[in-house]
Amino acid sequence: MSEKLIEVVDSAGIVRLTISRPKALNALNSDVLAELDSVLSDLEARDNLRAVLITGAGEKAFVAGADIAEMREKSPEQARDFARQALRTLKRLETLPVPTVALVNGFCLGGGCELALACDWAVASDNAIFGQPEVLLGVIPGFGGTQRLPRRVGPAMALDLCTTGRKIDAGEALRIGLVNRVMPQAELEAYAEELARQLGGNGPQSVRAAKQAIHDGMDQDLDSALALETALFAFCFAGEEQTEGMSAFVEKRKPNF
């Protein structure tokens, strides 16, 4: 591939990834997924990573979906391989040990919605449009939408979106819990910068532990999940981060993590 499909900007461990296919509304094809997977693999190996922000190039779309032109002629076996490629990549994003945030502007449909669902939370501009319209194309979501969407918004709403194919605006996405924040499009960049500063200033070990406790605990019974929380809570006392954080609180100063 001659041109970069994923633009990477690193600012003191806060990494911003921009999917850059604006003429195709940043649609996910095999090349995009392969490059994103490679980038995420590199990020997994980093010790100083604090957070990952992911967005799409241009003002029209976060990601408008998977690339239909590429999918149209696939056989069932090729479709399975394509879905598996996407699932591997989105799982790699989901399991990064640091917070991941989707910055959603414009269309966030199909594979784009599934990409946002693989992030820990999503921030949307007021022009964002969400949906899982695959049934309108004679298929179903294949990048995790039928599984991550009900875990985010509940099975009733997930069934609504996945079986009607209807699109929803940012306000409804906020109401059902699909996104965490909605703001005017002109303010999205400033919020992203503020969020990066906030995440970069928090204790990285404790942030990673909180993410692990929530993600791993969701798939366990309550007693097991509480035991996991206790173990991770105790682990936080094994390093210098807890000493610095609590000392700074007592001394009425800002911690230096």
Side-chain angles (χ1 to χ4, degrees):
M1 292 175 288
S2 58
E3 61 177 336
K4 285 284 186 180
L5 297 172
I6 309 293
E7 298 174 1
V8 181
V9 177
D10 186 352
S11 178
I14 308 295
V15 176
R16 178 171 174 144
L17 307 179
T18 302
I19 297 173
S20 186
R21 290 188 73 206
K23 292 182 180 179
L25 298 181
N26 305 316
L28 301 178
N29 62 12
S30 298
D31 289 341
V32 172
L33 291 170
E35 191 169 327
L36 178 59
D37 191 71
S38 176
V39 170
L40 294 173
S41 178
D42 291 341
L43 293 180
E44 285 175 342
R46 290 185 44 172
D47 294 328
N48 66 338
L49 189 66
R50 293 293 189 95
V52 174
L53 313 180
I54 188 163
T55 192
E59 298 182 354
K60 293 183 178 180
F62 170 70
V63 170
D67 193 320
I68 297 171
E70 181 184 52
M71 289 192 296
R72 183 176 55 176
E73 302 297 333
K74 287 187 182 298
S75 67
E77 292 75 17
Q78 291 170 329
R80 182 182 296 112
D81 290 343
F82 184 50
R84 286 174 173 170
Q85 178 190 22
L87 290 173
R88 284 193 302 269
T89 300
L90 297 192
K91 186 66 175 180
R92 177 161 267 161
L93 173 63
E94 183 178 51
T95 56
L96 282 176
V98 299
T100 55
V101 184
L103 302 173
V104 180
N105 57 311
F107 293 113
C108 182
L109 305 173
C113 191
E114 290 165 304
L115 175 63
L117 286 166
C119 294
D120 295 320
W121 73 85
V123 179
S125 63
D126 54 8
N127 75 326
I129 300 294
F130 297 83
Q132 297 286 172
E134 287 87 351
V135 292
L136 304 179
L137 303 172
V139 296
I140 67 170
F143 295 179
T146 65
Q147 303 307 309
R148 289 192 178 99
L149 187 60
R151 285 168 168 79
R152 182 73 63 89
V153 305
M157 186 56 67
L159 277 165
D160 177 343
L161 295 175
C162 289
T163 59
T164 67
R166 72 183 181 93
K167 301 176 182 65
I168 61 174
D169 61 20
E172 185 170 357
L174 179 65
R175 181 180 64 79
I176 66 175
L178 182 54
V179 302
N180 301 76
R181 304 276 192 283
V182 175
M183 63 197 61
Q185 186 177 19
E187 298 177 14
L188 189 62
E189 287 302 312
Y191 180 82
E193 293 176 5
E194 174 58 31
L195 180 62
R197 284 193 294 269
Q198 181 179 352
L199 292 171
N202 294 336
Q205 176 180 292
S206 55
V207 169
R208 290 180 182 217
K211 175 170 178 172
Q212 182 182 350
I214 292 169
H215 276 276
D216 291 354
M218 287 290 291
D219 294 326
Q220 300 180 18
D221 63 83
L222 182 58
D223 287 342
S224 298
L226 290 173
L228 172 64
E229 179 187 83
T230 300
L232 290 168
F233 174 73
F235 177 75
C236 290
F237 285 75
E240 298 179 355
E241 188 173 300
Q242 169 267 334
T243 302
E244 168 61 15
M246 292 189 176
S247 296
F249 179 84
V250 172
E251 297 165 11
K252 296 180 171 58
R253 61 176 175 82
K254 186 175 180 180
N256 181 24
F257 294 121

